[in-house]
Amino acid sequence: MYKNKILPFPSPICLQMLIVQFQHLDESFYSLFDNHVGMDHNFMNDENSRMVIIHYDQEAGVAREIFAHDTGDKARIYGSSDLLPTGNVIGNSYPYVVHPNVPDRQYHVNVWEITPEGETAWRLGVKGHNPWNPEDKISAYPHSIDPEEEPPVGWLVYNAERFYEKPTISRPCMEGASVRLNPYNTIKTSEDMAGIAYIYDAQQQEVLAKADFMFHKSWLPRNVDIPVPAGVAPDTDLQVVVVNNWKDSNVFSIGSTSQLPQCSEVSSNRLIK
């Protein structure tokens, strides 16, 4: 994994990736799949395709890579890189040449989930037959209609996405007299979507407080502070209920305010805090 690489913005890589996948997460962050193919349609410096997250300093006009994962594949056109609520990055790639006899090179398509530290959380590899000679289980073969052409053949994944059955939140903490949490919607959306968070007395099933907020469209963390009424005892067992625009809801038992850590004490391994 490469971090803190400084790039003038827009860079040649960013312009190239505009064709493949270049996502606006917000005004400061972008995700892209760097296929690493140059203007001559060859892989630059014979290097592999990468999943990348970029921070853009608008005032300085400088972009900085805060995450990059070398997929080990050379994918001419398809590929993706998406930030998840966990802080991990999910994406997909495919090899330019398939090697059936090489354990790490035998797949038509790879799907990856990578932690902020660059570790592989999980990997899905999809195997397939040699489209040019299905009986040949040994020889390497190009994963395209022609070694010099871009369109791939065999199993393909254009984009890898994740979704959740219910809204989710990060671990809550105390910010002054408020419970702070980061809510995430069930799916990524094209724009921010409305949500509501409630704090319940878990024993009495009574609503103690609520907060209206907007889910971030790209699953970036967004602080939502819910003031806890002064009369609530510090040892009251609490629940948080989060509801999205489609009335999907989820219930989280968070314990009492006396048990929650102060937000200043909570560390995070997220790429984007």
PDB file of all heavy atoms in Angstrom, residues 19-21 77-81 92-93 109 156-160:
ATOM      1  N   ILE A  19     -12.036   7.785 -17.236  1.00  0.00           N
ATOM      2  CA  ILE A  19     -12.668   6.882 -18.193  1.00  0.00           C
ATOM      3  C   ILE A  19     -13.114   5.601 -17.504  1.00  0.00           C
ATOM      4  O   ILE A  19     -14.137   5.022 -17.834  1.00  0.00           O
ATOM      5  CB  ILE A  19     -11.684   6.545 -19.334  1.00  0.00           C
ATOM      6  CG1 ILE A  19     -11.231   7.828 -20.033  1.00  0.00           C
ATOM      7  CG2 ILE A  19     -12.305   5.596 -20.339  1.00  0.00           C
ATOM      8  CD1 ILE A  19     -10.098   7.633 -21.005  1.00  0.00           C
ATOM      9  N   VAL A  20     -12.343   5.131 -16.517  1.00  0.00           N
ATOM     10  CA  VAL A  20     -12.630   3.854 -15.884  1.00  0.00           C
ATOM     11  C   VAL A  20     -13.592   4.031 -14.718  1.00  0.00           C
ATOM     12  O   VAL A  20     -14.733   3.612 -14.754  1.00  0.00           O
ATOM     13  CB  VAL A  20     -11.321   3.183 -15.403  1.00  0.00           C
ATOM     14  CG1 VAL A  20     -11.617   1.855 -14.743  1.00  0.00           C
ATOM     15  CG2 VAL A  20     -10.401   2.984 -16.590  1.00  0.00           C
ATOM     16  N   GLN A  21     -13.139   4.622 -13.637  1.00  0.00           N
ATOM     17  CA  GLN A  21     -14.008   4.908 -12.507  1.00  0.00           C
ATOM     18  C   GLN A  21     -13.384   6.009 -11.676  1.00  0.00           C
ATOM     19  O   GLN A  21     -12.275   5.869 -11.181  1.00  0.00           O
ATOM     20  CB  GLN A  21     -14.225   3.667 -11.633  1.00  0.00           C
ATOM     21  CG  GLN A  21     -15.325   3.891 -10.598  1.00  0.00           C
ATOM     22  CD  GLN A  21     -15.005   3.261  -9.263  1.00  0.00           C
ATOM     23  OE1 GLN A  21     -13.930   3.465  -8.726  1.00  0.00           O
ATOM     24  NE2 GLN A  21     -15.934   2.509  -8.733  1.00  0.00           N
ATOM     25  N   ILE A  77      -9.501  -2.022 -18.536  1.00  0.00           N
ATOM     26  CA  ILE A  77     -10.635  -1.100 -18.503  1.00  0.00           C
ATOM     27  C   ILE A  77     -11.485  -1.224 -17.240  1.00  0.00           C
ATOM     28  O   ILE A  77     -11.712  -0.241 -16.562  1.00  0.00           O
ATOM     29  CB  ILE A  77     -11.526  -1.226 -19.764  1.00  0.00           C
ATOM     30  CG1 ILE A  77     -11.865  -2.691 -20.077  1.00  0.00           C
ATOM     31  CG2 ILE A  77     -10.840  -0.594 -20.953  1.00  0.00           C
ATOM     32  CD1 ILE A  77     -12.764  -2.859 -21.290  1.00  0.00           C
ATOM     33  N   TYR A  78     -11.969  -2.391 -16.882  1.00  0.00           N
ATOM     34  CA  TYR A  78     -12.891  -2.489 -15.755  1.00  0.00           C
ATOM     35  C   TYR A  78     -12.146  -2.492 -14.425  1.00  0.00           C
ATOM     36  O   TYR A  78     -11.000  -2.920 -14.326  1.00  0.00           O
ATOM     37  CB  TYR A  78     -13.738  -3.758 -15.864  1.00  0.00           C
ATOM     38  CG  TYR A  78     -14.602  -3.815 -17.101  1.00  0.00           C
ATOM     39  CD1 TYR A  78     -14.762  -4.995 -17.811  1.00  0.00           C
ATOM     40  CD2 TYR A  78     -15.250  -2.672 -17.565  1.00  0.00           C
ATOM     41  CE1 TYR A  78     -15.555  -5.047 -18.946  1.00  0.00           C
ATOM     42  CE2 TYR A  78     -16.039  -2.712 -18.698  1.00  0.00           C
ATOM     43  CZ  TYR A  78     -16.190  -3.901 -19.392  1.00  0.00           C
ATOM     44  OH  TYR A  78     -16.968  -3.945 -20.509  1.00  0.00           O
ATOM     45  N   GLY A  79     -12.836  -2.042 -13.376  1.00  0.00           N
ATOM     46  CA  GLY A  79     -12.278  -2.037 -12.034  1.00  0.00           C
ATOM     47  C   GLY A  79     -12.987  -1.004 -11.186  1.00  0.00           C
ATOM     48  O   GLY A  79     -13.618  -0.079 -11.704  1.00  0.00           O
ATOM     49  N   SER A  80     -12.916  -1.158  -9.861  1.00  0.00           N
ATOM     50  CA  SER A  80     -13.612  -0.218  -8.980  1.00  0.00           C
ATOM     51  C   SER A  80     -12.867  -0.067  -7.667  1.00  0.00           C
ATOM     52  O   SER A  80     -11.989  -0.867  -7.323  1.00  0.00           O
ATOM     53  CB  SER A  80     -15.051  -0.688  -8.715  1.00  0.00           C
ATOM     54  OG  SER A  80     -15.062  -1.926  -8.020  1.00  0.00           O
ATOM     55  N   SER A  81     -13.249   0.976  -6.924  1.00  0.00           N
ATOM     56  CA  SER A  81     -12.662   1.270  -5.617  1.00  0.00           C
ATOM     57  C   SER A  81     -13.684   2.079  -4.838  1.00  0.00           C
ATOM     58  O   SER A  81     -13.984   3.213  -5.216  1.00  0.00           O
ATOM     59  CB  SER A  81     -11.360   2.060  -5.796  1.00  0.00           C
ATOM     60  OG  SER A  81     -10.782   2.386  -4.556  1.00  0.00           O
ATOM     61  N   ASN A  92     -12.716  -4.247  -7.377  1.00  0.00           N
ATOM     62  CA  ASN A  92     -12.528  -5.433  -8.210  1.00  0.00           C
ATOM     63  C   ASN A  92     -11.502  -5.150  -9.296  1.00  0.00           C
ATOM     64  O   ASN A  92     -11.235  -4.002  -9.652  1.00  0.00           O
ATOM     65  CB  ASN A  92     -13.849  -5.884  -8.836  1.00  0.00           C
ATOM     66  CG  ASN A  92     -14.460  -4.856  -9.760  1.00  0.00           C
ATOM     67  OD1 ASN A  92     -15.069  -3.888  -9.292  1.00  0.00           O
ATOM     68  ND2 ASN A  92     -14.312  -5.035 -11.066  1.00  0.00           N
ATOM     69  N   SER A  93     -10.926  -6.237  -9.812  1.00  0.00           N
ATOM     70  CA  SER A  93      -9.929  -6.138 -10.868  1.00  0.00           C
ATOM     71  C   SER A  93      -9.915  -7.451 -11.640  1.00  0.00           C
ATOM     72  O   SER A  93     -10.542  -8.429 -11.230  1.00  0.00           O
ATOM     73  CB  SER A  93      -8.540  -5.860 -10.279  1.00  0.00           C
ATOM     74  OG  SER A  93      -8.152  -6.907  -9.399  1.00  0.00           O
ATOM     75  N   VAL A 109     -11.490 -13.014 -12.478  1.00  0.00           N
ATOM     76  CA  VAL A 109     -11.870 -11.769 -11.799  1.00  0.00           C
ATOM     77  C   VAL A 109     -11.507 -11.884 -10.325  1.00  0.00           C
ATOM     78  O   VAL A 109     -11.618 -12.965  -9.734  1.00  0.00           O
ATOM     79  CB  VAL A 109     -13.389 -11.500 -11.931  1.00  0.00           C
ATOM     80  CG1 VAL A 109     -13.805 -10.307 -11.086  1.00  0.00           C
ATOM     81  CG2 VAL A 109     -13.778 -11.254 -13.379  1.00  0.00           C
ATOM     82  N   LEU A 156     -16.498 -11.569 -15.887  1.00  0.00           N
ATOM     83  CA  LEU A 156     -16.202 -10.153 -15.716  1.00  0.00           C
ATOM     84  C   LEU A 156     -17.019  -9.570 -14.567  1.00  0.00           C
ATOM     85  O   LEU A 156     -18.131 -10.020 -14.299  1.00  0.00           O
ATOM     86  CB  LEU A 156     -16.533  -9.366 -16.989  1.00  0.00           C
ATOM     87  CG  LEU A 156     -15.782  -9.752 -18.266  1.00  0.00           C
ATOM     88  CD1 LEU A 156     -16.380  -9.015 -19.453  1.00  0.00           C
ATOM     89  CD2 LEU A 156     -14.311  -9.423 -18.129  1.00  0.00           C
ATOM     90  N   VAL A 157     -16.470  -8.587 -13.898  1.00  0.00           N
ATOM     91  CA  VAL A 157     -17.201  -7.776 -12.922  1.00  0.00           C
ATOM     92  C   VAL A 157     -16.915  -6.323 -13.270  1.00  0.00           C
ATOM     93  O   VAL A 157     -15.748  -5.916 -13.316  1.00  0.00           O
ATOM     94  CB  VAL A 157     -16.755  -8.068 -11.475  1.00  0.00           C
ATOM     95  CG1 VAL A 157     -17.419  -7.093 -10.506  1.00  0.00           C
ATOM     96  CG2 VAL A 157     -17.096  -9.500 -11.085  1.00  0.00           C
ATOM     97  N   TYR A 158     -17.959  -5.559 -13.534  1.00  0.00           N
ATOM     98  CA  TYR A 158     -17.761  -4.148 -13.869  1.00  0.00           C
ATOM     99  C   TYR A 158     -17.491  -3.321 -12.621  1.00  0.00           C
ATOM    100  O   TYR A 158     -16.618  -2.457 -12.603  1.00  0.00           O
ATOM    101  CB  TYR A 158     -18.989  -3.607 -14.601  1.00  0.00           C
ATOM    102  CG  TYR A 158     -18.885  -2.140 -14.940  1.00  0.00           C
ATOM    103  CD1 TYR A 158     -18.061  -1.709 -15.976  1.00  0.00           C
ATOM    104  CD2 TYR A 158     -19.585  -1.185 -14.206  1.00  0.00           C
ATOM    105  CE1 TYR A 158     -17.941  -0.365 -16.283  1.00  0.00           C
ATOM    106  CE2 TYR A 158     -19.477   0.160 -14.504  1.00  0.00           C
ATOM    107  CZ  TYR A 158     -18.656   0.565 -15.545  1.00  0.00           C
ATOM    108  OH  TYR A 158     -18.534   1.898 -15.834  1.00  0.00           O
ATOM    109  N   ASN A 159     -18.249  -3.600 -11.552  1.00  0.00           N
ATOM    110  CA  ASN A 159     -18.137  -2.794 -10.346  1.00  0.00           C
ATOM    111  C   ASN A 159     -18.581  -3.633  -9.151  1.00  0.00           C
ATOM    112  O   ASN A 159     -19.579  -4.350  -9.239  1.00  0.00           O
ATOM    113  CB  ASN A 159     -19.020  -1.548 -10.466  1.00  0.00           C
ATOM    114  CG  ASN A 159     -18.812  -0.581  -9.320  1.00  0.00           C
ATOM    115  OD1 ASN A 159     -17.685  -0.330  -8.913  1.00  0.00           O
ATOM    116  ND2 ASN A 159     -19.893  -0.045  -8.780  1.00  0.00           N
ATOM    117  N   ALA A 160     -17.849  -3.570  -8.051  1.00  0.00           N
ATOM    118  CA  ALA A 160     -18.203  -4.299  -6.828  1.00  0.00           C
ATOM    119  C   ALA A 160     -18.803  -3.322  -5.825  1.00  0.00           C
ATOM    120  O   ALA A 160     -18.216  -2.277  -5.544  1.00  0.00           O
ATOM    121  CB  ALA A 160     -16.976  -4.983  -6.237  1.00  0.00           C
TER     122      ALA A 160
END
